[in-house]
């Protein structure tokens, strides 16, 4: 079956795509939904002074607001109705995932299949509303504390801001679900992807302009481009890399017939945690700088100012803690999303076993041993990909269009979306082959 699928994938061409009407409808729907999202990032909140807010944002763009602005496609910079973006939903999803490993009732729901998954998704939506409301109120209060940012401060402004920003987040959550079900790819991931990709043309044009004016050497820009291509190649290789454990199933007898034992593979991704460790590490390290910016550096003691400056982008202390936090969260999140004991129990329940390993506890220990080893490689890869852009910016001064976190997201989402498109095309070819075989069978019958 695998070889047949690979052969079909190699035979995919433009004519196959032209015949895939359902795929084209899904692609057009996805593009239309992302266009709606991009339009929403340019509709500003009412009651703000644009000049005063732009000046205040420039002073905070190096903190966590800059990170959120990247994920929201510039909506934070413009304080648009989608300024909260999809981050409250992602945070709620991660919190619920963590709780399913701690709370027995949620863990039982996770094992109930489709019905349990629907209930957990509902809890995630409730968590999104709570987190979104709290963050929206914090934004409203922060805007009011700024000098001349809000034209008419008061409870009406706070309430309208909370309703508008929370409504924007809930709309994006619904839009992401619609893209997933009626479009192509994961809707939430594509929304984040489009937000990051929207800033690429401007950033690249700015870098090329620096080269044209002589502010940066042309050879340096070309070197950075070559390094970026090499890093993208590394990301593609690692994100597709798997450690496959051979699983065997014993012979079984059905009636008087004996069926040969089957074999399959248990795929373990080299980077099981995905991009979550980089997002967590960035958020934690940028919190002190953001808090100091709101409080005012003049009011802080000298030791606090020194620590905050040491944790700035490109500083050795920042890169050290950044790498350590990424490695920690890579192991922590992998332990949350993948349970070797549950996997071993499922294999034992269906009669599967790893050759040379006793089913049950020994299988769980072996899977955990293999997973730990490949997670070490995955953590080193994440640290390298995320630290390298910081190092290049600090040493060369070239303003990179994509940081490590955003680069991981862009490449990963692209790979997943292309894989889904290929899956639809393969299904289209299968349907064509089945129709042809039926027609031939009908002609022979006549």
């Amino acid at each position: 079956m695998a070889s047949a699928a690979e052969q079909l994938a190699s035979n995919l061409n433009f004519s196959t795509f032209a015949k895939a009407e359902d795929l084209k409808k899904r692609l057009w729907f996805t593009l239309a939904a992302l266009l709606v999202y991009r339009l929403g990032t340019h509709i500003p909140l009412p009651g703000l002074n644009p000049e005063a807010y732009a000046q205040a944002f420039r002073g905070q763009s190096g903190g966590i607001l800059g990170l959120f602005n990247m994920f929201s496609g510039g909506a934070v910079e413009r304080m648009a109705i989608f300024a909260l973006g999809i981050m409250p939903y992602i945070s709620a999803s991660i919190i619920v995932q963590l709780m399913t490993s701690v709370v027995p009732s949620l863990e039982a729901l996770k094992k109930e299949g489709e019905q349990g998954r629907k209930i957990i998704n509902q809890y995630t939506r409730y968590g999104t509303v709570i987190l979104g409301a709290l963050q929206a109120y914090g934004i409203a209060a922060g805007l009011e504390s700024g000098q001349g940012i809000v034209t008419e401060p008061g409870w009406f402004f706070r309430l309208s801001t909370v309703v508008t920003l929370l409504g924007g987040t809930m709309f994006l959550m619904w839009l992401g679900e619609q893209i997933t079900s009626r479009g192509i790819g994961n809707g939430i991931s594509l929304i984040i992807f489009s937000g990051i990709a929207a800033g690429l043309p401007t950033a690249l044009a700015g870098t090329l302009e620096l080269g044209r004016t002589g502010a940066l050497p042309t050879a340096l820009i070309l070197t950075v481009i070559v390094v970026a291509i090499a890093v993208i190649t590394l990301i593609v290789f690692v994100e597709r890399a798997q450690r496959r454990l051979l699983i065997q199933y014993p012979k079984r007898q059905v009636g008087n017939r004996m069926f040969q034992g089957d074999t399959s593979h248990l795929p373990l991704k080299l980077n099981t945690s995905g991009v979550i460790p980089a997002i967590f590490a960035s958020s934690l390290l940028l919190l002190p700088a953001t808090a100091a910016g709101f409080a005012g550096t003049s009011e802080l003691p000298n030791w606090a100012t020194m620590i905050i400056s040491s944790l700035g982008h490109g500083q050795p202390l920042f890169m050290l803690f950044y790498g350590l936090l990424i490695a920690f969260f890579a192991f922590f999140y992998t332990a949350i999303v993948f349970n070797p004991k549950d996997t071993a129990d499922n294999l034992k329940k269906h009669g599967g076993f790893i050759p040379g390993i006793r089913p049950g506890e020994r299988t769980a220990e072996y899977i955990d041993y293999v997973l730990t080893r490949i997670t070490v490689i995955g953590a080193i890869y994440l640290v390298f990909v995320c630290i390298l852009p910081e190092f290049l910016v600090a040493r060369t001064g070239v303003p990179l269009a994509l940081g490590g976190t955003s680069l991981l997201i862009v490449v990963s989402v692209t790979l997943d979306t292309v894989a889904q498109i290929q899956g639809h095309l393969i299904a289209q070819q299968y349907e064509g082959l089945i129709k042809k075989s039926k027609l031939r069978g009908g002609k022979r019958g006549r």
Side-chain angles (χ1 to χ4, degrees):
M1 181 65 72
S3 60
E6 291 172 0
Q7 185 177 0
L8 279 175
S10 63
N11 292 333
L12 295 178
N13 48 40
F14 184 77
S15 62
T16 307
F17 177 79
K19 296 175 183 177
E21 294 296 331
D22 180 65
L23 177 60
K24 288 191 285 187
K25 290 179 182 178
R26 286 177 173 273
L27 286 172
W28 281 115
F29 180 85
T30 302
L31 291 174
L34 294 178
L35 178 62
V36 171
Y37 162 64
R38 291 303 305 155
L39 288 174
T41 60
H42 288 80
I43 302 175
L45 277 176
L48 297 182
N49 183 343
E51 291 80 9
Y53 175 74
Q55 183 178 359
F57 178 81
R58 282 194 293 269
Q60 299 291 331
S61 59
I64 199 169
L65 289 183
L67 183 67
F68 287 164
N69 185 59
M70 177 187 69
F71 289 145
S72 65
V76 176
E77 183 180 5
R78 294 181 285 270
M79 194 44 67
I81 59 175
F82 290 161
L84 273 183
I86 206 69
M87 293 305 291
Y89 177 77
I90 295 175
S91 301
S93 301
I94 294 171
I95 291 172
V96 171
Q97 270 190 329
L98 295 175
M99 291 181 66
T100 53
S101 302
V102 179
V103 181
S105 57
L106 289 177
E107 189 175 2
L109 277 176
K110 187 179 179 181
K111 297 178 180 178
E112 287 183 5
E114 183 65 22
Q115 188 62 30
R117 189 181 65 82
K118 288 182 179 179
I119 298 176
I120 291 176
N121 286 343
Q122 196 65 29
Y123 290 156
T124 304
R125 294 187 181 96
Y126 295 151
T128 302
V129 172
I130 295 172
L131 289 177
L134 291 175
Q135 291 179 16
Y137 183 81
I139 289 175
L143 291 173
E144 283 189 338
S145 64
Q147 186 69 28
I149 296 178
V150 180
T151 54
E152 296 182 7
W155 277 104
F156 178 77
F157 170 77
R158 297 178 195 173
L159 182 62
S160 62
T161 300
V162 170
V163 172
T164 303
L165 293 180
L166 181 59
T169 296
M170 300 307 294
F171 175 79
L172 288 182
M173 184 178 69
W174 174 83
L175 190 66
E177 292 175 351
Q178 295 302 309
I179 293 174
T180 302
S181 61
R182 301 173 59 185
I184 284 291
N186 182 284
I188 302 299
S189 300
L190 282 172
I191 287 174
I192 298 175
F193 167 86
S194 63
I196 296 173
L200 281 177
T202 304
L204 288 174
T207 303
L208 294 177
E209 180 65 20
L210 291 175
R212 189 186 67 82
T213 57
L216 289 174
T218 304
L220 179 60
I221 296 177
L222 292 176
T223 303
V224 171
I225 292 174
V226 171
V227 172
I229 294 173
V231 172
I232 291 173
T233 305
L234 174 66
I235 294 174
V236 172
F237 175 78
V238 175
E239 292 299 325
R240 295 174 69 93
Q242 294 178 346
R243 170 71 162 90
R244 294 186 176 186
L245 300 181
L246 180 64
I247 306 296
Q248 286 189 345
Y249 293 91
K251 296 180 180 180
R252 56 192 178 93
Q253 185 173 356
V254 180
N256 295 326
R257 297 184 63 184
M258 180 67 72
F259 288 89
Q260 186 68 27
D262 195 10
T263 60
S264 65
H265 292 88
L266 175 65
L268 300 177
K269 287 190 65 176
L270 205 60
N271 179 29
T272 308
S273 57
V275 74
I276 296 298
I279 295 176
F280 274 21
S282 301
S283 302
L284 286 178
L285 282 177
L286 292 175
L287 277 176
T290 305
F294 282 119
T297 54
S298 59
E299 302 178 4
L300 296 174
N302 293 332
W303 61 269
T305 305
M306 184 176 64
I307 291 176
I308 290 171
S309 62
S310 300
L311 290 176
H313 277 290
Q315 298 297 321
L317 191 63
F318 173 86
M319 288 191 277
L320 174 64
F321 280 110
Y322 192 28
L324 291 175
L325 286 173
I326 288 173
F328 168 76
F329 283 120
F331 281 93
F332 179 76
Y333 196 72
T334 299
I336 293 298
V337 299
F338 191 94
N339 191 328
K341 188 177 184 305
D342 289 346
T343 304
D345 291 342
N346 288 332
L347 288 175
K348 186 177 180 180
K349 187 186 301 180
H350 294 90
F353 63 93
I354 299 175
I357 307 295
R358 184 178 298 174
E361 187 176 347
R362 293 298 300 274
T363 299
E365 292 175 356
Y366 178 74
I367 294 174
D368 183 62
Y369 169 71
V370 174
L371 187 64
T372 302
R373 289 198 303 171
I374 63 175
T375 303
V376 171
I377 301 174
I380 294 173
Y381 145 77
L382 283 175
V383 171
F384 174 77
V385 170
C386 294
I387 291 293
L388 183 62
E390 297 286 341
F391 180 80
L392 289 176
V393 172
R395 292 293 178 268
T396 64
V398 178
L400 295 181
L402 288 177
T405 306
S406 52
L407 193 62
L408 280 169
I409 293 174
V410 168
V411 177
S412 301
V413 174
T414 302
L415 288 174
D416 291 341
T417 306
V418 170
Q420 287 205 24
I421 292 175
Q422 287 181 341
H424 278 277
L425 291 176
I426 290 173
Q428 176 77 16
Q429 281 205 342
Y430 268 127
E431 290 177 3
L433 290 174
I434 291 172
K435 288 180 181 177
K436 287 181 180 178
S437 63
K438 287 183 177 179
L439 288 174
R440 289 172 183 170
K443 290 179 180 179
R444 290 174 184 172
R446 292 177 186 173

